[in-house]
Amino acid sequence: MGGADHQALVSSLLLKVDPNALGPALPPRSRSRQQIEQAREGVLAHIRRRWTQIRDAGGFHNLENWALKEISDGTARPRGILV
């Protein structure tokens, strides 16, 4: 688990837009969204514990800027030290 997992989880599921309603595909209070948010928090907790190993393996390279910033905020590590 690493930065790419976090980016995929957020971009594929949490940021997905329903083209018919032009709103979030998962309503903010839905059970599915809550479970995905819990999974995202679990990924961030793993990254907080293992960030040096993930960094050394190149796990933060090639992430989009928004994902790197979110991981930086979630781990309380500056973006520059992650890459």
Side-chain angles (χ1 to χ4, degrees):
M1 259 193 267
D5 298 311
H6 180 271
Q7 180 176 299
L9 184 65
V10 174
S11 66
S12 296
L13 298 172
L14 295 177
L15 297 179
K16 191 173 183 177
V17 175
D18 179 354
N20 297 324
L22 296 178
L26 295 173
R29 296 179 187 225
S30 73
R31 182 162 169 73
S32 298
R33 185 176 193 89
Q34 291 172 358
Q35 290 174 327
I36 294 167
E37 288 284 358
Q38 288 175 340
R40 183 182 68 83
E41 285 298 322
V43 171
L44 277 176
H46 176 79
I47 292 172
R48 275 192 292 274
R49 288 190 304 274
R50 305 275 186 213
W51 73 271
T52 54
Q53 292 94 341
I54 295 168
R55 179 197 60 198
D56 292 346
F60 300 118
H61 294 289
N62 301 321
L63 292 181
E64 294 180 36
N65 285 332
W66 66 265
L68 189 58
K69 181 184 182 330
E70 195 168 287
I71 291 169
S72 172
D73 293 346
T75 59
R77 303 281 186 258
R79 279 189 264 183
I81 203 169
L82 294 176
V83 289

